Amino acid sequence: ALALQRAKLRAAETAVAEYRAENGLFLESNTGGELTSVATQIAEAQQRRSAVEGRAKMIRDLVAAGQSPEGVSDVQDSPVIGSLLQTKAGLSSELAERSTTLLANHPTIRALRAQLRELDAQVAAEAMRVAAALDAEAQMEAGIEQRLRDELAAAKVSAGDAAKGG
């Protein structure tokens, strides 16, 4: 009778362990803590990826709309754009100064405006390179996220096996 009770108890414990393993439910053990840590890391990688993708999209949308991406911090951090903006500020200042004495159709005024348009095009092109770099960063985060997901899946299998064997 006692042997029968023990067999039933082992069968019940095995059924509970299998149910927990199949449904991702683990006892609060070291393995459970590791699973929680990996899940947290996955969520953080998702957040970083999403934020980087959002910044890249904002830059592309501004450029596509013909608006200046100069106000975006990632664009401002580019040394190339910093140099272009310094040149643009100098040309804008010169244009304002010359506009006080020259008419709008004067060749000097037209040349300055053309140079400013060219600088705006260069800023937009460099902003697109910044967006591409952000896309690469997002891909890196996606890779980290996938590696963590694989790690989590392996840990779940291991925890399930440990629960079934225990």
Side-chain angles (χ1 to χ4, degrees), residues 26-30 32-33 36:
F26 302 98
L27 295 174
E28 287 300 318
S29 66
N30 189 28
T36 301

Side-chain angles (χ1 to χ4, degrees), residues 16-155:
V16 168
E18 287 174 357
Y19 175 82
R20 285 184 175 173
E22 290 169 6
N23 293 289
L25 304 172
F26 302 98
L27 295 174
E28 287 300 318
S29 66
N30 189 28
T31 302
E34 290 171 15
L35 294 176
T36 301
S37 174
V38 173
T40 299
Q41 291 175 21
I42 290 171
E44 290 169 352
Q46 285 175 324
Q47 289 173 340
R48 287 189 305 265
R49 179 180 48 85
S50 180
V52 170
E53 287 172 344
R55 294 192 327 259
K57 182 182 181 327
M58 179 174 50
I59 291 169
R60 282 191 299 275
D61 289 350
L62 285 170
V63 171
Q67 297 178 354
S68 175
E70 297 169 16
V72 180
S73 64
D74 294 292
V75 173
Q76 291 172 349
D77 292 342
S78 167
V80 173
I81 289 186
S83 174
L84 291 171
L85 293 179
Q86 283 181 334
T87 303
K88 182 179 175 183
L91 284 175
S92 294
S93 175
E94 185 178 349
L95 176 62
E97 183 180 316
R98 299 274 180 135
S99 292
T100 61
T101 58
L102 301 174
L103 296 173
N105 267 346
H106 192 279
T108 302
I109 299 295
R110 290 195 325 224
L112 287 171
R113 286 191 178 134
Q115 289 176 356
L116 285 170
R117 283 191 302 276
E118 177 59 29
L119 282 171
D120 285 339
Q122 290 176 7
V123 167
E126 183 62 24
M128 293 304 284
R129 283 191 279 282
V130 169
L134 290 171
D135 288 338
E137 186 179 335
Q139 286 292 37
M140 183 183 73
E141 289 295 342
I144 290 170
E145 181 184 337
Q146 186 57 51
R147 182 186 53 77
L148 288 168
R149 286 185 185 285
D150 294 345
E151 190 177 310
L152 180 63

